[in-house]
Amino acid sequence: MVKALKTKVGNPLRKLVLIKLADNASDTGECWPSYRHIADQCEISRRSVMNHVKQLEQEGFLKREYRKGEKGNSSNIFHLSITKAEQQKAGEYTAPPSEPAAPSSESAALPPSESAAPRTSHSIEPVNEPLNNKPKKSRKEVFDFSSWPAMPTEQTLNDWIAMRKDKKAKLNQTAINRLAKHLHDAVNAGFSVEDCIATCATRGWVGFEAKWLINAGVSPTNAADEYSDWAGNVFDERDPLI
Protein backbone atom coordinates (compact mmCIF):
# COMPACT_ATOMS: atom_id res chain seq x y z
CA MET A 1 0.00 0.00 0.00
CA VAL A 2 2.79 2.44 0.88
CA LYS A 3 4.58 1.73 -2.41
CA ALA A 4 1.35 2.17 -4.37
CA LEU A 5 0.56 5.48 -2.65
CA LYS A 6 4.02 6.87 -3.48
CA THR A 7 3.98 5.62 -7.08
CA LYS A 8 3.23 7.98 -9.96
CA VAL A 9 1.22 6.43 -12.78
CA GLY A 10 0.02 9.60 -14.54
CA ASN A 11 -3.71 9.07 -14.02
CA PRO A 12 -5.76 9.41 -10.77
CA LEU A 13 -8.22 6.60 -11.51
CA ARG A 14 -5.43 4.27 -12.61
CA LYS A 15 -3.61 4.96 -9.35
CA LEU A 16 -6.82 4.21 -7.44
CA VAL A 17 -7.04 0.82 -9.16
CA LEU A 18 -3.37 0.13 -8.32
CA ILE A 19 -3.96 1.04 -4.67
CA LYS A 20 -6.97 -1.30 -4.53
CA LEU A 21 -4.89 -4.17 -5.96
CA ALA A 22 -2.11 -3.44 -3.45
CA ASP A 23 -4.69 -3.48 -0.64
CA ASN A 24 -5.72 -7.03 -1.62
CA ALA A 25 -2.19 -8.29 -2.35
CA SER A 26 -0.27 -10.77 -0.22
CA ASP A 27 3.31 -10.18 0.98
CA THR A 28 4.51 -11.66 -2.33
CA GLY A 29 2.41 -9.22 -4.34
CA GLU A 30 -0.29 -11.66 -5.48
CA CYS A 31 -4.05 -11.07 -5.44
CA TRP A 32 -7.08 -12.19 -7.44
CA PRO A 33 -10.07 -9.84 -6.94
CA SER A 34 -12.66 -9.79 -9.74
CA TYR A 35 -12.99 -6.81 -12.07
CA ARG A 36 -16.49 -6.24 -10.69
CA HIS A 37 -15.21 -6.12 -7.10
CA ILE A 38 -12.51 -3.58 -8.05
CA ALA A 39 -15.09 -1.49 -9.93
CA ASP A 40 -17.47 -1.47 -6.96
CA GLN A 41 -14.73 -0.50 -4.50
CA CYS A 42 -13.31 2.27 -6.75
CA GLU A 43 -16.78 3.48 -7.85
CA ILE A 44 -15.96 3.25 -11.55
CA SER A 45 -17.17 1.03 -14.37
CA ARG A 46 -15.93 -2.52 -14.94
CA ARG A 47 -14.75 -1.54 -18.45
CA SER A 48 -12.72 1.32 -16.99
CA VAL A 49 -11.07 -1.09 -14.52
CA MET A 50 -10.11 -3.44 -17.37
CA ASN A 51 -8.60 -0.53 -19.35
CA HIS A 52 -6.57 0.71 -16.37
CA VAL A 53 -5.34 -2.79 -15.50
CA LYS A 54 -4.24 -3.27 -19.10
CA GLN A 55 -2.31 0.03 -19.01
CA LEU A 56 -0.70 -0.83 -15.66
CA GLU A 57 0.42 -4.13 -17.15
CA GLN A 58 1.94 -2.40 -20.18
CA GLU A 59 3.85 -0.03 -17.89
CA GLY A 60 5.26 -2.95 -15.86
CA PHE A 61 3.35 -2.43 -12.61
CA LEU A 62 1.71 -5.85 -12.76
CA LYS A 63 1.34 -9.09 -14.71
CA ARG A 64 -1.91 -10.98 -15.22
CA GLU A 65 -2.12 -14.76 -15.02
CA TYR A 66 -5.29 -16.21 -16.56
CA ARG A 67 -6.74 -19.05 -14.50
CA LYS A 68 -9.55 -21.38 -15.63
CA GLY A 69 -11.46 -23.53 -13.15
CA GLU A 70 -12.72 -27.08 -13.54
CA LYS A 71 -16.29 -25.83 -13.98
CA GLY A 72 -15.34 -23.56 -16.88
CA ASN A 73 -15.29 -20.36 -14.79
CA SER A 74 -12.19 -18.20 -14.89
CA SER A 75 -10.38 -15.47 -12.98
CA ASN A 76 -7.14 -13.47 -13.11
CA ILE A 77 -4.23 -13.64 -10.69
CA PHE A 78 -2.45 -10.28 -10.51
CA HIS A 79 1.29 -10.24 -9.73
CA LEU A 80 2.31 -6.73 -8.62
CA SER A 81 5.83 -5.45 -9.33
CA ILE A 82 5.59 -1.81 -8.26
CA THR A 83 9.23 -1.48 -7.16
CA LYS A 84 10.55 -2.86 -10.44
CA ALA A 85 8.36 -0.51 -12.46
CA GLU A 86 9.54 2.46 -10.39
CA GLN A 87 13.18 1.53 -10.94
CA GLN A 88 12.58 1.39 -14.67
CA LYS A 89 11.11 4.88 -14.55
CA ALA A 90 14.14 6.04 -12.48
CA GLY A 91 11.82 7.94 -10.18
CA GLU A 92 10.61 10.33 -12.88
CA TYR A 93 7.34 10.09 -14.76
CA THR A 94 5.55 12.64 -16.92
CA ALA A 95 2.11 11.81 -18.24
CA PRO A 96 1.62 12.37 -21.99
CA PRO A 97 -0.11 15.76 -22.58
CA SER A 98 -2.83 14.06 -24.60
CA GLU A 99 -3.77 11.59 -21.88
CA PRO A 100 -7.08 12.50 -20.20
CA ALA A 101 -7.62 12.10 -16.47
CA ALA A 102 -10.15 9.34 -17.19
CA PRO A 103 -11.06 7.05 -20.16
CA SER A 104 -13.18 8.79 -22.81
CA SER A 105 -16.16 6.65 -21.86
CA GLU A 106 -16.09 7.77 -18.24
CA SER A 107 -15.76 11.12 -16.53
CA ALA A 108 -13.48 11.44 -13.50
CA ALA A 109 -15.84 13.99 -11.96
CA LEU A 110 -18.62 12.84 -9.65
CA PRO A 111 -22.30 13.54 -10.48
CA PRO A 112 -23.47 17.07 -9.53
CA SER A 113 -25.43 15.70 -6.59
CA GLU A 114 -22.32 14.27 -4.98
CA SER A 115 -19.48 16.01 -3.19
CA ALA A 116 -16.34 16.53 -5.28
CA ALA A 117 -14.23 14.96 -2.53
CA PRO A 118 -16.13 12.42 -0.39
CA ARG A 119 -14.55 11.61 2.95
CA THR A 120 -12.87 8.23 2.88
CA SER A 121 -11.38 6.50 5.92
CA HIS A 122 -8.41 4.14 5.44
CA SER A 123 -7.03 1.79 8.05
CA ILE A 124 -3.58 3.39 7.75
CA GLU A 125 -4.86 6.95 8.13
CA PRO A 126 -7.52 7.47 10.88
CA VAL A 127 -10.01 10.30 10.41
CA ASN A 128 -11.39 12.27 13.33
CA GLU A 129 -15.11 12.72 12.75
CA PRO A 130 -16.75 15.98 13.91
CA LEU A 131 -18.81 15.82 17.09
CA ASN A 132 -22.57 15.70 16.64
CA ASN A 133 -25.69 14.60 18.45
CA LYS A 134 -26.23 11.50 16.33
CA PRO A 135 -25.67 8.09 17.97
CA LYS A 136 -22.18 6.73 17.35
CA LYS A 137 -21.99 3.99 14.78
CA SER A 138 -20.19 0.79 15.63
CA ARG A 139 -16.69 0.51 14.25
CA LYS A 140 -16.59 -0.90 10.74
CA GLU A 141 -15.10 -4.39 10.68
CA VAL A 142 -13.39 -5.52 7.50
CA PHE A 143 -12.43 -9.16 7.03
CA ASP A 144 -9.92 -10.68 4.62
CA PHE A 145 -10.86 -14.10 3.20
CA SER A 146 -7.84 -14.40 0.88
CA SER A 147 -6.41 -17.28 2.97
CA TRP A 148 -9.40 -19.44 2.01
CA PRO A 149 -9.06 -21.63 -1.12
CA ALA A 150 -12.35 -20.20 -2.47
CA MET A 151 -15.55 -18.52 -1.27
CA PRO A 152 -19.07 -19.96 -0.82
CA THR A 153 -22.17 -18.29 -2.23
CA GLU A 154 -23.41 -15.10 -0.61
CA GLN A 155 -26.47 -16.84 0.86
CA THR A 156 -24.40 -19.63 2.39
CA LEU A 157 -21.97 -17.13 3.90
CA ASN A 158 -24.97 -15.17 5.24
CA ASP A 159 -26.40 -18.27 6.94
CA TRP A 160 -23.05 -19.27 8.43
CA ILE A 161 -22.46 -15.81 9.96
CA ALA A 162 -26.04 -15.71 11.30
CA MET A 163 -25.54 -19.13 12.92
CA ARG A 164 -22.33 -17.96 14.61
CA LYS A 165 -24.09 -14.86 15.94
CA ASP A 166 -26.92 -16.98 17.35
CA LYS A 167 -24.33 -19.08 19.18
CA LYS A 168 -22.55 -15.97 20.50
CA ALA A 169 -19.47 -16.80 18.37
CA LYS A 170 -18.91 -13.45 16.69
CA LEU A 171 -16.85 -13.63 13.50
CA ASN A 172 -13.31 -12.23 13.64
CA GLN A 173 -10.14 -12.38 11.53
CA THR A 174 -8.50 -14.98 13.76
CA ALA A 175 -11.42 -17.37 13.26
CA ILE A 176 -11.25 -16.85 9.49
CA ASN A 177 -7.51 -17.52 9.37
CA ARG A 178 -7.70 -20.64 11.58
CA LEU A 179 -10.52 -22.05 9.46
CA ALA A 180 -8.42 -21.68 6.28
CA LYS A 181 -6.22 -24.73 6.99
CA HIS A 182 -9.23 -27.01 7.48
CA LEU A 183 -10.89 -25.67 4.33
CA HIS A 184 -7.74 -26.45 2.32
CA ASP A 185 -7.73 -29.98 3.77
CA ALA A 186 -11.38 -30.43 2.80
CA VAL A 187 -10.78 -29.14 -0.75
CA ASN A 188 -7.87 -31.56 -1.14
CA ALA A 189 -10.26 -34.33 -0.09
CA GLY A 190 -12.66 -33.41 -2.90
CA PHE A 191 -15.11 -31.16 -1.07
CA SER A 192 -15.94 -27.60 -2.09
CA VAL A 193 -15.85 -24.60 0.24
CA GLU A 194 -19.60 -24.39 -0.36
CA ASP A 195 -19.95 -27.93 1.09
CA CYS A 196 -17.95 -26.97 4.18
CA ILE A 197 -19.62 -23.67 5.06
CA ALA A 198 -23.15 -24.87 4.17
CA THR A 199 -22.76 -27.95 6.40
CA CYS A 200 -21.44 -25.81 9.27
CA ALA A 201 -24.42 -23.47 8.89
CA THR A 202 -27.05 -26.23 8.81
CA ARG A 203 -25.53 -28.35 11.59
CA GLY A 204 -24.58 -25.46 13.87
CA TRP A 205 -20.83 -26.14 13.81
CA VAL A 206 -18.85 -23.20 15.13
CA GLY A 207 -15.64 -25.19 14.66
CA PHE A 208 -14.79 -27.32 11.64
CA GLU A 209 -12.51 -30.15 10.49
CA ALA A 210 -12.53 -31.89 7.11
CA LYS A 211 -13.13 -35.33 8.64
CA TRP A 212 -16.40 -34.09 10.12
CA LEU A 213 -17.91 -33.93 6.62
CA ILE A 214 -17.09 -37.60 6.04
CA ASN A 215 -18.54 -38.56 9.42
CA ALA A 216 -21.68 -36.56 8.57
CA GLY A 217 -22.12 -38.47 5.31
CA VAL A 218 -21.47 -35.49 3.01
CA SER A 219 -20.28 -36.59 -0.45
CA PRO A 220 -17.34 -34.80 -2.14
CA THR A 221 -18.35 -32.56 -5.05
CA ASN A 222 -14.90 -31.98 -6.58
CA ALA A 223 -15.84 -28.34 -6.96
CA ALA A 224 -12.96 -26.65 -5.18
CA ASP A 225 -12.64 -23.90 -7.82
CA GLU A 226 -16.35 -23.31 -8.24
CA TYR A 227 -16.21 -19.87 -6.64
CA SER A 228 -12.57 -18.95 -7.25
CA ASP A 229 -13.52 -15.56 -8.68
CA TRP A 230 -14.54 -14.52 -5.13
CA ALA A 231 -11.12 -15.26 -3.63
CA GLY A 232 -9.33 -12.26 -2.10
CA ASN A 233 -12.43 -10.05 -1.85
CA VAL A 234 -12.87 -8.05 1.32
CA PHE A 235 -16.03 -8.72 3.37
CA ASP A 236 -17.64 -5.87 5.31
CA GLU A 237 -19.72 -6.93 8.33
CA ARG A 238 -22.04 -3.93 7.86
CA ASP A 239 -22.88 -4.77 4.23
CA PRO A 240 -26.44 -5.91 3.43
CA LEU A 241 -24.85 -9.33 2.80
CA ILE A 242 -24.99 -9.90 6.56
Side-chain angles (χ1 to χ4, degrees), residues 53-121:
V53 167
K54 182 178 180 181
Q55 187 63 35
L56 288 170
E57 184 175 25
Q58 292 176 353
E59 294 178 0
F61 289 102
L62 60 86
K63 289 185 179 180
R64 285 179 294 175
E65 177 185 343
Y66 181 76
R67 178 176 61 177
K68 188 172 184 180
E70 294 180 3
K71 294 288 185 176
N73 56 319
S74 60
S75 62
N76 288 313
I77 299 180
F78 301 99
H79 302 273
L80 301 185
S81 52
I82 298 175
T83 302
K84 181 178 179 181
E86 280 294 281
Q87 291 174 346
Q88 292 175 347
K89 292 178 180 295
E92 297 180 359
Y93 181 89
T94 302
S98 60
E99 182 179 20
S104 57
S105 61
E106 181 175 347
S107 171
L110 295 173
S113 61
E114 298 186 35
S115 170
R119 168 170 283 175
T120 304
S121 177

Side-chain angles (χ1 to χ4, degrees), residues 160 163-164 167-169 175 179 200 203-208 212:
W160 177 64
M163 178 275 295
R164 290 184 61 94
K167 289 183 174 290
K168 309 299 182 183
L179 185 59
C200 287
R203 292 178 177 267
W205 294 347
V206 174
F208 171 75
W212 294 2

Side-chain angles (χ1 to χ4, degrees), residues 203-224:
R203 292 178 177 267
W205 294 347
V206 174
F208 171 75
E209 291 185 22
K211 63 183 179 181
W212 294 2
L213 293 176
I214 300 175
N215 295 337
V218 179
S219 300
T221 61
N222 294 315

Side-chain angles (χ1 to χ4, degrees), residues 93-174:
Y93 181 89
T94 302
S98 60
E99 182 179 20
S104 57
S105 61
E106 181 175 347
S107 171
L110 295 173
S113 61
E114 298 186 35
S115 170
R119 168 170 283 175
T120 304
S121 177
H122 300 282
S123 58
I124 60 174
E125 185 179 2
V127 174
N128 295 322
E129 297 291 342
L131 296 176
N132 53 46
N133 296 325
K134 295 181 179 180
K136 292 184 179 180
K137 295 182 178 179
S138 60
R139 184 179 178 182
K140 183 177 181 179
E141 294 188 70
V142 177
F143 300 127
D144 182 4
F145 290 85
S146 60
S147 61
W148 287 16
M151 287 292 290
T153 61
E154 293 183 10
Q155 185 59 58
T156 298
L157 191 59
N158 262 348
D159 295 341
W160 177 64
I161 294 172
M163 178 275 295
R164 290 184 61 94
K165 287 183 177 179
D166 289 342
K167 289 183 174 290
K168 309 299 182 183
K170 186 177 180 181
L171 187 64
N172 54 48
Q173 191 62 51
T174 299

Side-chain angles (χ1 to χ4, degrees), residues 175-196:
I176 292 171
N177 295 340
R178 290 175 66 90
L179 185 59
K181 175 184 179 301
H182 299 293
L183 290 177
H184 279 282
D185 291 342
V187 167
N188 291 334
F191 296 97
S192 68
V193 174
E194 176 74 9
D195 290 334
C196 303

